[in-house]
Amino acid sequence: MRESPENLNTQAIELAQKGDYTEAIACFKRALSLERYNHLLWFNLGITYRDAGDLPAARHALEKAYSINSEDDDVIETLALICYNMDKTEEAMSYCAEGIEHNPNNAHLWNTIGVIYFNRADYPMACEAFEHAITISPYYYDALFNLRDTYDELGNKAGVEMCKMQMRQISPDGKQNA
């Protein structure tokens, strides 16, 4: 069988799913030696580094993916979260802002913005971001959860109850309960 970036990518994903990150990373690197400007290979390498616990390497790979395709929502979302998890909140916020500029209906980026504001104790701005995420995606459980906590910080008891009611109607994976 001929070695191809596609086959190596598939093999690497399978290895990563089994927890064999070292071999998965080696496969991604081999694929990238064949196709250096494939942003999906860089993205998958970044995800694998993240899952292996190497956030600096994950960030580096995701920045390469971003430099190749700065409009891919998954790349931007993941890069923002990696920066946030590395305590690089200004950089995370910058990636979120760029992503929102490209796709203002990205509820995940609005949620990440809200989390950053919440952790800065800027509850009014967090509230606005979480509400925006819920407006876009009413069954987005994480954003509802975060909005509930933000309403609680703001003393908005009615808002807390509304969020609790909405959260009971859906499961944490975002599916509506019967």
Side-chain angles (χ1 to χ4, degrees):
M1 180 188 327
R2 190 173 81 77
E3 189 173 72
S4 72
E6 295 80 17
N7 290 339
L8 288 165
N9 182 58
T10 300
Q11 182 181 359
I13 290 170
E14 289 170 0
L15 288 164
Q17 288 172 340
K18 294 176 187 172
D20 192 351
Y21 301 120
T22 303
E23 288 298 316
I25 289 165
C27 279
F28 283 126
K29 287 181 175 180
R30 177 68 185 131
L32 284 162
S33 73
L34 299 172
E35 200 169 297
R36 194 96 186 127
Y37 297 102
N38 183 325
H39 86 282
L40 292 175
L41 290 173
W42 284 108
F43 173 74
N44 289 338
L45 176 61
I47 294 294
T48 303
Y49 274 126
R50 178 202 65 195
D51 293 349
D54 188 345
L55 295 184
R59 180 179 178 186
H60 175 75
L62 289 163
E63 285 173 340
K64 293 289 276 184
Y66 181 78
S67 73
I68 296 165
N69 183 352
S70 63
E71 296 184 358
D72 184 302
D73 282 350
D74 291 331
V75 170
I76 296 167
E77 289 172 25
T78 307
L79 187 51
L81 288 171
I82 293 291
C83 288
Y84 175 75
N85 289 326
M86 294 177 71
D87 293 324
K88 307 283 187 193
T89 56
E90 290 305 317
E91 293 168 44
M93 188 66 91
S94 178
Y95 283 118
C96 287
E98 287 179 42
I100 293 293
E101 187 175 308
H102 165 69
N103 180 4
N105 292 320
N106 186 319
H108 293 274
L109 288 174
W110 283 109
N111 185 62
T112 301
I113 290 169
V115 168
I116 293 168
Y117 280 127
F118 186 92
N119 286 312
R120 291 180 179 169
D122 187 344
Y123 303 119
M125 291 299 291
C127 182
E128 187 176 315
F130 294 135
E131 286 174 344
H132 207 101
I134 298 304
T135 300
I136 295 166
S137 183
Y139 299 105
Y140 186 6
Y141 190 90
D142 290 347
L144 277 169
F145 183 92
N146 293 332
L147 182 59
R148 180 203 63 197
D149 289 352
T150 306
Y151 282 154
D152 190 42
E153 290 292 335
L154 292 169
N156 180 345
K157 291 180 182 3
V160 169
E161 290 308 312
M162 180 208 61
C163 288
K164 285 180 180 179
M165 184 180 70
Q166 218 169 328
M167 289 167 61
R168 280 191 293 268
Q169 294 175 0
I170 56 176
S171 62
D173 63 6
K175 295 180 181 152
Q176 191 171 5
N177 288 331

